[in-house]
Amino acid sequence: MLVGDGELQEGSNWEAMMAASHYELDRLTVIVDRNRLQQGATVRETNDLEPLDQKATAFGFAVVEVNGHDHDELFDVLSSVPFRPGKPTFVIAHTHKGHPISFMSNNAAWHHKVPSVEQLELALDELTAVDGQGGPA
């Protein structure tokens, strides 16, 4: 299951996590896109989740943190599930919203903004440059 960190401010997610732990659903993996932004503000300004790793542990999950932009690291983590028998897995994937586009990266405005034609062309040029260097696109 993939969730955004802003989405974790909803109580239904924590209720589902308690049930998953209670029923020892060790084949369940929650991946959190931990970009620290949501529409209009940072997650911290709206309802701080820290310490997220400790909260997930307290809810009975085996927790691992990864670079969410590193596909190999994500693959390795997901290939290792379950981390602990009898415990669901909680992957905190640290990311930057809009990565790797220079004017979009880590900018809350791009949570809901539509690029102009010029911005789209610039973004595609930047993605092509990153992909040509062997990096994640």
Side-chain angles (χ1 to χ4, degrees), residues 13-26:
N13 289 293
W14 298 97
E15 292 170 8
M17 289 172 63
M18 283 191 297
S21 177
H22 176 79
Y23 292 107
E24 300 181 356
L25 302 181
D26 59 6

Side-chain angles (χ1 to χ4, degrees), residues 72-126:
D72 291 332
E73 192 172 346
L74 282 166
F75 180 80
D76 290 345
V77 164
L78 296 175
S79 297
S80 301
V81 171
F83 272 23
R84 292 184 36 207
K87 291 193 174 284
T89 300
F90 194 85
V91 178
I92 301 174
H94 295 280
T95 64
H96 296 281
K97 186 178 289 296
H99 175 81
I101 307 303
S102 61
F103 60 93
M104 290 181 178
S105 186
N106 208 33
N107 184 338
W110 285 99
H111 186 83
H112 58 279
K113 194 172 181 178
V114 177
S116 68
V117 171
E118 295 80 17
Q119 290 169 323
L120 177 60
E121 289 173 3
L122 178 57
L124 291 172
D125 287 345
E126 289 185 20

Side-chain angles (χ1 to χ4, degrees), residues 21-41:
S21 177
H22 176 79
Y23 292 107
E24 300 181 356
L25 302 181
D26 59 6
R27 303 293 294 166
L28 174 69
T29 301
V30 175
I31 303 170
V32 180
D33 179 13
R34 188 72 170 116
N35 60 43
R36 294 180 167 71
L37 295 176
Q38 62 187 64
Q39 189 164 331

Side-chain angles (χ1 to χ4, degrees), residues 4-66:
D5 48 4
E7 185 178 358
L8 287 179
Q9 296 169 356
E10 299 176 12
S12 58
N13 289 293
W14 298 97
E15 292 170 8
M17 289 172 63
M18 283 191 297
S21 177
H22 176 79
Y23 292 107
E24 300 181 356
L25 302 181
D26 59 6
R27 303 293 294 166
L28 174 69
T29 301
V30 175
I31 303 170
V32 180
D33 179 13
R34 188 72 170 116
N35 60 43
R36 294 180 167 71
L37 295 176
Q38 62 187 64
Q39 189 164 331
T42 65
V43 172
R44 180 187 298 184
E45 291 170 315
T46 306
N47 189 6
D48 198 4
L49 295 173
E50 293 302 329
L52 183 56
D53 59 339
Q54 293 175 28
K55 289 178 182 177
T57 299
F59 272 73
F61 278 66
V63 178
V64 62
E65 297 189 47
V66 299

